[in-house]
Amino acid sequence: PSATMRPSNTARPTATQTPVPTATRLPSITPTFDAASVVKRTPAPPAVCPEGDPNLTPDFQEVLSVEFPRLEEPILDFLNAGGMPQAVIKALEWTDQQGLEPDYSYDSAITSKAEFNRTHLYEADLTGDSVSELIVSRVNLYIFGCGEGKYKTLLSQENDDWSNRAASPWIVATSDMNLDGIPEIVVKSFALKLWALYRVFEWSADGYKSLLVTRPDNHLFYYPDVAAAEMGEMTLQDTDSNRTVELVIRGYDPFPNGLPSRGEEYTYMWNGEIFAYFSLEYSPPQFRFEAIQDGDRYSLAGNYEKALAFYQDAIFSDKLDWWSSERNRYEVICWATKPNCQQYPTPPASDPIEYPNLAAYAQYRIMLLHLLRGYLSDAQTVYNTLQSEFPASQPGHAYAEMATAFWDEYQTSQSMGLACGKAIEYATAHPVEILAYLGNGDYAIAYFGEQSLDYEPEDVCPFDQLSVISYQWKLITDN
């Protein structure tokens, strides 16, 4: 797997950009779960409900007349007085006579009142006891079920967007995601119109339990049980082929505060107890620095094959674009005046030394990858190429010097940790030369957007001997 280096700093061979998404800067925190260890739960015996009177009709008009009606107690009172769930559904359906329209914009799949009613007011067995529960999504979400001969509220989820009474949370999926024999329910709601919030619940003897924990860097919403994404859409899929189902959420920022901005994909995976945050992937890079960062993300996550592909793209691809502070201002103005970018018709000139700096950094990181995987001769080849292509006084030479600081120590100690220490010492002494073009941080030459990594000297060589052992163990377990 020797990497062929670019022969000069001027000629760029044509290469096809492979659209590979990226992993989060943090390594995956949830191991792949062994589905064979799942213990099937015994379903509860069928619940006993009150005897119903089909002639009873509820009157919810007074309750519905307020701006944000509270329907829980009136519905329970009606059901426990002998009312039928279908009568509740009929009384709460949106009709032309009510004079209020449901807000279809929260879900493009809902296009009519009939479709809204079917997804927000219905009966289904959500507890696995073969007795249907009543689901009501009007302002808030309620699940009503039977217990000890009477109806009670099994789940109550409040509206997260109190600027709109029609923005009710609702159930978007039911599936036995963790293979224990009881269906999980996925609840979707919105906040501030743009943010889609997802929660996962499962029935137990003690009531509905939340089974999802938000990702550790979620600073926008302080709900501990929410997976959130701007303009988010959700799918359930077995991404690792172990039969448990992952929650995959894709979103994008329609009004980015800082460009560039890429689509995001969050995956939450069952770990035996909860659906925990597993990874963040971005849409394919458009700019060269994004490919560099994608390579660094995958390196840190231990996926060295994908990391190598991104570093090679940063060197070879003619599909990747350049970035600078002037380009940032240009993109922001173009975005604000789209589609024709009338206020800034001529793109600014590119920075002539961005490419050699990023190409040199990519070669340095490829050298590290070869050493991590035990390809010593390939690492030597890349090191020699880096020294010959980026001599003194040439843009990118600082990375050749940093590689030398690393290489000399590695030849003596054979330790990734000690050699990385020397590389970090060099980056600390030359922060502008090393960090300026990589991404955000104190020495960044431009603003690289909200999704950019923030680089410090220790980020240029985040490996130690444990990284080598972990990779070797991964090879053993994979084979």
Side-chain angles (χ1 to χ4, degrees):
S2 177
T4 303
M5 292 294 101
R6 177 174 161 275
S8 71
N9 286 331
T10 54
R12 297 188 187 179
T14 300
T16 301
Q17 172 67 15
T18 303
V20 183
T22 75
T24 163
R25 185 176 191 180
L26 294 173
S28 300
I29 61 174
T30 309
T32 299
F33 180 71
D34 181 8
S37 65
V38 175
V39 177
K40 291 284 187 179
R41 290 171 49 192
T42 302
V48 179
C49 297
E51 185 175 349
D53 182 353
N55 296 316
L56 293 179
T57 302
D59 183 5
F60 298 140
Q61 292 305 310
E62 183 177 351
V63 178
L64 293 172
S65 65
V66 301
E67 185 174 5
F68 295 103
R70 296 284 184 175
L71 289 164
E72 181 178 5
E73 290 188 11
I75 291 175
L76 282 176
D77 290 344
F78 175 75
L79 293 174
N80 286 318
M84 303 288 287
Q86 282 299 319
V88 174
I89 292 174
K90 185 175 182 180
L92 293 178
E93 287 180 339
W94 291 98
T95 65
D96 293 333
Q97 286 72 35
Q98 285 183 279
L100 291 172
E101 286 283 346
D103 193 336
Y104 307 135
S105 64
Y106 284 89
D107 187 352
S108 59
I110 298 175
T111 58
S112 66
K113 288 182 180 179
E115 182 65 30
F116 188 93
N117 289 332
R118 282 194 295 270
T119 57
H120 285 59
L121 302 164
Y122 61 99
E123 290 183 277
D125 178 17
L126 301 180
T127 60
D129 66 351
S130 301
V131 176
S132 292
E133 282 71 51
L134 171 63
I135 296 93
V136 173
S137 174
R138 286 291 298 272
V139 180
N140 299 328
L141 170 66
Y142 303 105
I143 298 178
F144 299 102
C146 301
E148 300 176 349
K150 66 177 183 179
Y151 279 94
K152 58 183 179 180
T153 305
L154 306 183
L155 177 68
S156 174
Q157 179 61 54
E158 290 199 349
N159 190 335
D160 290 307
D161 188 350
W162 281 99
S163 64
N164 190 338
R165 61 177 282 177
S168 310
W170 76 103
I171 297 173
V172 292
T174 59
S175 175
D176 185 9
M177 299 167 63
N178 60 10
L179 304 179
D180 66 352
I182 305 296
E184 285 72 54
I185 62 172
V186 182
V187 174
K188 182 177 182 179
S189 61
F190 275 85
L192 305 176
K193 192 71 173 181
L194 297 175
W195 282 90
L197 313 181
Y198 294 91
R199 295 174 172 91
V200 178
F201 297 98
E202 184 183 66
W203 175 252
S204 70
D206 300 325
Y208 270 103
K209 297 189 303 182
S210 174
L211 293 187
L212 185 143
V213 174
T214 191
R215 67 183 191 271
D217 64 334
N218 180 16
H219 305 302
L220 294 173
F221 294 97
Y222 297 97
Y223 310 117
D225 62 342
V226 162
E230 286 186 273
M231 307 301 292
E233 293 295 336
M234 180 274 302
T235 59
L236 301 180
Q237 59 190 92
D238 181 8
T239 60
D240 57 358
S241 301
N242 75 336
R243 296 191 296 118
T244 60
V245 177
E246 285 71 65
L247 184 77
V248 181
I249 301 172
R250 299 175 180 88
Y252 67 95
D253 185 356
F255 307 110
N257 293 324
L259 295 167
S261 181
R262 293 195 277 171
E264 300 174 332
E265 178 179 291
Y266 298 93
T267 299
Y268 290 78
M269 182 177 291
W270 180 250
N271 67 1
E273 297 180 0
I274 58 172
F275 288 92
Y277 167 75
F278 179 71
S279 66
L280 163 62
E281 297 185 354
Y282 292 112
S283 57
Q286 176 185 353
F287 299 97
R288 199 168 304 278
F289 84 87
E290 292 176 329
I292 288 290
Q293 292 194 9
D294 291 351
D296 287 353
R297 288 185 173 102
Y298 270 126
S299 292
L300 197 58
N303 193 329
Y304 300 149
E305 290 293 336
K306 286 189 176 181
L308 177 62
F310 278 114
Y311 292 138
Q312 289 178 325
D313 279 346
I315 298 169
F316 292 107
S317 176
D318 60 356
K319 307 295 184 183
L320 294 172
D321 216 337
W322 53 272
W323 191 253
S324 67
S325 294
E326 292 74 20
R327 180 64 179 268
N328 183 33
R329 287 192 290 271
Y330 168 77
E331 294 290 343
V332 169
I333 292 173
C334 282
W335 179 87
T337 60
K338 59 186 178 184
N340 298 320
C341 194
Q342 297 108 348
Q343 296 184 25
Y344 207 149
T346 304
S350 62
D351 182 347
I353 67 172
E354 184 212 33
Y355 174 77
N357 273 282
L358 294 181
Y361 178 76
Q363 291 190 20
Y364 158 77
R365 291 301 294 248
I366 290 173
M367 178 192 75
L368 298 184
L369 290 184
H370 287 332
L371 290 174
L372 284 167
R373 300 191 296 177
Y375 304 150
L376 303 184
S377 62
D378 295 321
Q380 178 77 65
T381 299
V382 176
Y383 173 75
N384 293 340
T385 304
L386 182 59
Q387 300 304 317
S388 63
E389 286 198 358
F390 301 96
S393 75
Q394 293 296 315
H397 178 66
Y399 298 104
E401 289 190 329
M402 183 170 65
T404 297
F406 174 95
W407 191 260
D408 289 347
E409 174 60 37
Y410 190 81
Q411 299 309 303
T412 301
S413 65
Q414 298 295 298
S415 168
M416 286 292 294
L418 293 177
C420 273
K422 294 298 183 181
I424 292 170
E425 283 182 12
Y426 184 90
T428 302
H430 305 83
V432 176
E433 296 90 333
I434 296 299
L435 304 179
Y437 286 93
L438 302 183
N440 291 338
D442 293 339
Y443 301 95
I445 200 169
Y447 179 60
F448 293 87
E450 293 180 341
Q451 296 167 328
S452 171
L453 299 179
D454 293 336
Y455 280 85
E456 299 177 2
E458 55 265 31
D459 295 320
V460 301
C461 200
F463 305 111
D464 54 23
Q465 200 59 30
L466 181 60
S467 302
V468 180
I469 296 172
S470 297
Y471 179 72
Q472 292 172 342
W473 177 249
K474 181 178 184 299
L475 292 180
I476 294 171
T477 55
D478 286 351
N479 294 327

